């Protein structure tokens, strides 16, 4: 859907309170679309979408060929445009479009659809453009971009890389230009982006709600005023909007004259090397961003402060090595790198900062000490109280190291636990310990053939993958199975009066391909945090194994949840979510100690899965129980644990037990639990993908025939 059809005025960009970095990043892309777009990360309710939607009103209008559905430029129309070739027809001016891509959009809605029936019977490429065609030379906005299905992400990556969209259906293809400014918003709590798509965003910005009461009051005051009278509120900010629009146009005009000197280039290259970013895209984006910053400030030469600000916007999302790393930069390290490589500049060069030219500080978006050059917030035209400036957003504080707890090693080969208590040293709570280094794990599959969301874990019928058969389409035709369609139509050609070379195809002849790929599952971790697991080295290894499984779940596009049990009950430490990063954070803070209420953990898992089945019946669960198999606490703990395990097995839940028992004498309790669950037991060593002592393991439920 596109926003220009809505008659309600957008919330003015200049009325947005605070969020200096976000406004600056959006304005830089308005000045230089080659920067590559913006990814906005932040908690819910921080006006991310409001600011992004307000940007479209500031973008200059574009000239398009009259009647062209693909927004071809009159001066240089696309030679492969499906509506071409374009002659010397008229041109028209239209506002820059902002096209919104819904998270649940279909592939045809994104790239467009071909009428396969007409293509087969008439040889006509009847093409209905999609959202990528609408967004050409405009803005493509994806709210909750981290929740996009993988196949849509793949299409976005292809279009962003090639500047064109290709639609192919069984040998019939259409191509059109698709160059757009990609802007996405996301809440990190709901999951992370694939690294390939993350790298396609030129800049990234972290936003958070201010804790300053005065600023929060101003946000509420302006929002209520807008809701009460959108047109009147927009009119009160019209002068500021016009001034900012003129400044964007002036910066665009100045941009070709901005010089990026060798000294600035050395600083850019040195910074990217110092932070060990992959590839060369970061260097290019930093260079374009620094140039746009200089043009925005009214200068014709890139200065060191431009390089610094460009690094803060272009590098945080590119320096992550795994999904558990928090985005951000060490600003002290950045300053040292810039100083080291800035000292080699020629004497009498641009070491001293140039004075700001007249104009930018006085108009909307004037330059400030934060290097932003963002619209001022004080003294709005509606007589509102001046909004205080946001302090510079500091890098996320690193987790504090927990003090070392006394060693609580269990006796190796303990035949059984003393009645009424757990392992030695388990009477109280032990401080959380760190995890060992994660490793690559074996793939644990859910048996059978599912129909869940696209992913990379278990076999499933999906829209993508290898073709395994054909069927009549249900609703709109998806992927055509050409051979099956021809086979269905061939016997009727004489009856239908076929006289030419074309095949007479009817709707009933069409067959769509049945494909088999892989799906993402709900992986529910049930982690034993009792005293019997509290030995420091042992618990570190257990946490390392769970961390490795979390990383595997991230790579396979699963949802995850985590239940921990200790003491007298079980806790849902992490409700099912796509945020593997949140799971890693919960795991890091996990304390240990107390008895082992195994039955409570399994019963809690059964209840969580019952609720999730009602929410998303197509996503199949996989329960991973991480325990040594002991059960203590309460009446008949072993009997209750066995009953709880059979309850999960009776619901058809696939499960695997990661056996954490240590010592030369093993009781095999985890294996007994796996048999009750009708699942599989593997040791920590067998969990490793590079283990040579284990056979290839999958979760094969040795279920009895019903």
């Amino acid at each position: 859907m596109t926003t220009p059809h809505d008659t309600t005025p957008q919330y003015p960009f200049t009325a947005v309170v605070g969020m200096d970095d976000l406004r600056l990043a959006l304005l830089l892309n308005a000045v230089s679309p080659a920067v590559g777009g913006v990814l906005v990360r932040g908690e819910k309710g921080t006006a991310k979408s409001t600011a992004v939607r307000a940007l479209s009103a500031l973008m200059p209008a574009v000239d398009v060929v009259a009647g062209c559905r693909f927004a071809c430029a009159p001066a240089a129309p696309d030679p492969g445009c499906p509506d071409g070739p374009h002659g010397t027809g008229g041109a028209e001016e239209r506002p820059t479009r902002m096209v919104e891509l819904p998270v649940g959009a279909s592939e045809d809605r994104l790239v467009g659809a071909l009428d396969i029936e007409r293509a087969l019977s008439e040889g006509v490429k009847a093409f209905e453009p999609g959202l990528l065609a609408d967004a050409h030379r405009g803005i493509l906005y994806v709210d909750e971009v981290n929740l996009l299905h993988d196949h849509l992400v793949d299409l976005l990556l292809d279009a962003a890389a090639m500047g064109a969209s290709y639609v192919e259906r069984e040998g019939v293809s259409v191509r059109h230009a698709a160059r757009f400014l990609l802007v996405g918003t996301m809440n990190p709590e709901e999951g992370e982006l694939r690294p390939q798509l993350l790298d396609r965003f030129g800049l990234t910005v972290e936003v958070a709600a201010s804790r300053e009461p005065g600023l929060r009051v101003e946000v509420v005051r302006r929002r209520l005023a807008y809701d009460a009278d959108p047109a009147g509120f927009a009119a009160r900010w019209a002068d500021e909007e016009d001034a900012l629009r003129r400044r964007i146009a002036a910066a665009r005009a100045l941009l070709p004259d901005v010089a990026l000197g060798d000294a600035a280039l050395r600083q850019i290259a040195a910074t990217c090397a110092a932070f060990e970013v992959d590839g060369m895209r970061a260097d290019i984006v930093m260079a374009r961003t620094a140039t746009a910053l200089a043009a925005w400030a009214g200068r014709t030469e890139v200065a060191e402060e431009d390089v610094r600000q460009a690094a803060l916007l272009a590098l945080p999302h590119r320096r992550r090595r795994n999904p558990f790393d928090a985005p951000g930069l060490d600003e002290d390290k950045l300053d040292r790198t810039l100083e080291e490589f800035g000292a080699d500049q020629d004497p009498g060069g641009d070491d001293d900062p140039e004075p700001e030219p007249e104009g930018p500080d006085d108009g909307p978006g004037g330059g400030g000490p934060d290097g932003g050059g963002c619209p001022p917030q004080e003294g709005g035209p509606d007589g509102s109280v001046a909004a205080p400036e946001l302090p510079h957003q500091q890098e996320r504080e690193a987790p504090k190291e927990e003090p070392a707890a006394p060693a609580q090693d269990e006796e190796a080969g303990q035949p059984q636990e003393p009645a009424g208590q757990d392992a030695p040293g388990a009477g109280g709570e032990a401080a959380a310990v760190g995890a060992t280094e994660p490793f690559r794990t074996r793939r644990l599959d859910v048996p059978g053939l599912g129909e869940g969301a696209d992913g990379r874990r278990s076999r499933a019928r999906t829209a993508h993958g290898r073709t395994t058969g054909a069927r009549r389409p249900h609703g709109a035709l998806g992927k055509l199975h050409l051979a099956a369609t021809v086979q269905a139509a061939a016997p009727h050609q004489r009856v239908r009066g076929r006289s030419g070379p074309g095949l007479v195809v009817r709707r009933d002849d069409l067959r769509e391909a049945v494909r088999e790929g892989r799906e993402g599952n709900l992986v529910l971790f049930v982690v034993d945090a009792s005293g019997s697991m509290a030995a420091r080295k042992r618990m570190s290894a257990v946490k390392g194994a769970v961390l490795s499984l979390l990383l595997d779940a991230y790579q396979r596009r699963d949802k995850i949840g985590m239940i921990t049990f200790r003491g007298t009950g079980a806790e849902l430490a992490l409700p099912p979510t796509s945020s593997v990063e949140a799971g890693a954070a919960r795991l890091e803070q996990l304390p240990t100690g107390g008895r082992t209420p195994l039955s409570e953990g399994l019963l809690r898992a059964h209840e969580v899965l019952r609720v999730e089945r009602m929410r998303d019946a197509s996503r199949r669960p996989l329960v991973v129980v991480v325990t040594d198999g002991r059960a203590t606490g309460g009446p008949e703990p072993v009997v209750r644990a066995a009953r709880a395990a059979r309850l999960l097995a009776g619901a058809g839940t696939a499960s695997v037990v990661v056996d954490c028992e240590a010592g030369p004498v093993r009781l095999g309790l985890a294996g007994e639990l796996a048999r009750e669950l009708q699942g599989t037991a593997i040791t920590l060593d067998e969990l490793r993908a590079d283990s040579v002592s284990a056979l290839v393991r999958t979760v094969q439920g040795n279920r009895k025939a019903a």
Side-chain angles (χ1 to χ4, degrees):
M1 78 186 157
T2 56
T3 56
H5 300 295
D6 189 358
T7 57
T8 303
Q10 290 284 359
Y11 190 92
F13 188 88
T14 49
V16 173
V17 179
M19 298 195 298
D20 293 348
D21 288 342
L22 170 57
R23 291 181 290 131
L24 175 61
L26 293 172
L27 289 171
L28 292 177
N29 276 274
V31 171
S32 176
V35 166
V38 186
L39 174 64
V40 188
R41 297 165 47 93
E43 59 196 22
K44 53 187 175 292
T46 49
K48 301 185 298 292
S49 300
T50 298
V52 172
R53 291 190 177 101
L55 176 67
S56 60
L58 300 175
M59 300 289 285
V62 294
D63 292 328
V64 299
V65 174
C68 178
R69 297 175 296 169
F70 301 89
C72 282
D78 180 12
C81 177
D83 284 355
H86 298 298
T88 57
E92 60 184 12
E93 186 180 84
R94 74 168 192 205
T96 297
R97 287 179 176 173
M98 173 172 282
V99 178
E100 296 191 33
L101 171 59
V103 169
S106 66
E107 180 178 333
D108 285 347
R109 184 71 187 98
L110 177 61
V111 300
L114 280 169
D115 190 333
I116 299 297
E117 187 173 356
R118 290 188 63 191
L120 288 175
S121 59
E122 304 175 27
V124 176
K125 293 183 180 179
F127 180 68
E128 182 65 29
L131 295 177
L132 290 180
D134 291 341
H136 179 46
R137 303 177 65 200
I139 302 170
L140 181 63
Y141 171 50
V142 190
D143 194 12
E144 306 294 350
V145 63
N146 51 325
L147 302 183
L148 271 184
H149 289 300
D150 269 3
H151 68 286
L152 296 183
V153 171
D154 293 337
L155 294 169
L156 273 181
L157 286 172
D158 289 343
M162 298 183 295
S165 174
Y166 292 84
V167 184
E168 297 193 12
R169 298 288 187 272
E170 302 296 338
V172 181
S173 63
V174 172
R175 173 215 167 272
H176 65 82
R179 290 182 294 275
F180 47 82
L181 179 63
L182 183 61
V183 181
T185 56
M186 61 174 282
N187 182 352
E189 294 178 357
E190 297 172 343
E192 289 294 336
L193 274 179
R194 282 172 53 182
Q196 296 92 334
L197 183 56
L198 189 64
D199 190 50
R200 282 291 170 186
F201 287 96
L203 310 179
T204 186
V205 177
E206 294 277 341
V207 297
S210 172
R211 299 297 182 258
E212 170 60 42
L215 191 145
R216 296 174 74 96
V217 166
E218 185 61 21
V219 170
V220 175
R221 179 182 288 117
R222 293 187 187 184
R223 186 70 213 190
L224 292 178
Y226 171 77
D227 291 341
D229 182 10
F233 185 83
R236 289 195 293 273
W237 288 90
D239 291 343
E240 282 72 14
E241 292 283 287
D242 289 341
L244 187 55
R245 197 175 292 111
R246 289 192 299 270
R247 185 177 175 189
I248 291 173
R252 277 196 170 194
L254 181 62
L255 188 65
D257 298 327
V258 176
L260 181 64
D262 289 342
L265 276 173
R266 282 196 303 271
Q267 288 181 318
I268 290 171
T271 300
C272 292
F275 286 99
E276 300 179 350
V277 296
D278 296 329
M280 295 297 298
R281 182 173 287 117
D283 303 63
I284 297 171
V285 171
M286 270 192 67
R288 290 171 174 167
T289 304
T291 304
L293 280 162
W296 178 248
R299 289 185 267 104
T300 57
E301 188 165 351
V302 173
E304 182 174 314
E305 59 264 31
D306 300 324
V307 176
R308 186 182 192 280
Q309 183 65 56
L312 293 174
L313 294 173
L315 296 188
H317 61 302
R318 292 187 165 90
R319 57 166 294 275
R320 303 180 69 186
R321 285 295 174 264
N322 64 62
F324 311 134
D325 290 339
L329 288 183
D330 182 343
E331 294 194 31
D332 291 336
K333 180 178 179 180
L334 173 60
D335 291 336
R336 289 195 302 269
T337 303
L338 293 176
E339 181 179 357
E340 177 183 354
F341 286 88
D344 295 333
Q345 295 178 9
D346 294 334
D350 297 324
D351 293 340
D352 295 328
E354 294 182 18
E356 291 290 335
E358 257 183 60
D361 281 342
D362 302 327
D370 291 335
C374 297
Q377 299 299 329
E378 56 268 26
D382 53 357
S384 56
V385 178
E389 289 288 331
L390 275 175
H392 185 72
Q393 189 172 2
Q394 299 294 328
E395 184 179 1
R396 186 182 299 179
E397 184 178 355
K400 296 181 179 178
E401 294 185 4
E402 296 286 351
Q408 297 178 339
D409 292 334
E410 296 178 43
E411 293 182 18
Q414 183 180 352
Q416 64 181 26
E417 298 174 4
Q421 59 181 333
D422 269 61
E429 179 178 301
V433 298
T436 58
E437 281 295 316
F439 51 84
R440 189 166 62 91
T441 66
R442 296 185 179 279
R443 186 176 68 208
L444 306 175
D445 296 346
V446 176
L449 194 64
E451 295 184 350
D454 286 349
R456 299 191 182 94
R457 184 171 297 279
S458 305
R459 293 175 55 229
R461 295 187 182 93
T462 62
H464 305 272
R466 63 185 182 91
T467 301
T468 59
R471 66 183 178 189
R472 292 180 182 271
H474 303 291
L477 177 67
K479 299 286 187 179
L480 178 74
H481 195 297
L482 183 59
T485 299
V486 172
Q487 187 176 8
H492 309 291
Q493 296 305 295
R494 182 174 297 177
V495 175
R496 294 173 182 173
R498 173 185 171 186
S499 58
L503 193 67
V504 181
V505 180
R506 303 266 175 88
R507 174 70 185 176
D508 291 342
D509 302 327
L510 298 178
R511 299 291 185 271
E512 67 180 4
V514 177
R515 298 173 180 265
E516 182 178 311
R518 293 201 173 269
E519 67 177 359
N521 298 108
L522 167 59
V523 182
L524 182 61
F525 295 93
V526 183
V527 182
D528 186 347
S530 65
S532 68
M533 303 281 287
R536 292 186 64 82
K537 291 183 179 178
R538 184 174 170 192
M539 197 61 200
S540 292
V542 169
K543 284 190 174 184
V546 178
L547 193 66
S548 303
L549 290 167
L550 285 170
L551 181 59
D552 181 69
Y554 166 78
Q555 293 168 340
R556 300 191 187 281
R557 310 300 290 173
D558 295 317
K559 288 182 68 175
I560 64 161
M562 186 181 297
I563 293 171
T564 61
F565 58 94
R566 55 184 289 273
T568 59
E571 175 190 2
L572 180 59
L574 181 69
T577 176
S578 296
S579 178
V580 178
E581 188 178 26
R586 299 290 195 282
L587 182 68
E588 183 181 357
Q589 300 163 5
L590 178 64
T592 56
R595 296 185 179 275
T596 313
L598 177 58
S599 60
E600 300 302 319
L602 298 177
L603 289 173
R604 189 64 184 271
H606 180 269
E607 177 61 20
V608 169
L609 294 181
R610 183 187 67 81
V611 174
E612 285 302 308
R613 285 191 185 99
M614 292 188 290
R615 293 176 177 171
D616 186 359
S618 64
R619 189 180 288 270
R620 297 186 296 163
L622 170 62
V623 174
V624 179
V625 186
V626 184
T627 181
D628 57 8
R630 298 172 188 253
T632 62
E636 299 183 322
V638 176
V639 175
R640 292 189 70 231
R643 289 175 180 170
R646 289 194 290 271
L647 184 64
L648 275 171
T653 304
S655 59
V656 62
V657 178
V658 179
D659 185 358
C660 302
E661 192 173 23
V665 179
R666 296 175 182 259
L667 303 179
L669 299 177
E672 294 180 11
L673 175 62
R675 285 189 288 275
E676 296 288 357
L677 286 167
Q678 298 183 16
T680 302
I682 60 176
T683 66
L684 287 174
D685 288 337
E686 291 172 335
L687 185 62
R688 293 178 178 270
D690 55 358
S691 173
V692 296
S693 63
L695 299 174
V696 175
R697 302 271 186 169
T698 57
V699 182
Q700 298 172 344
N702 302 316
R703 300 185 176 89
K704 300 175 182 178

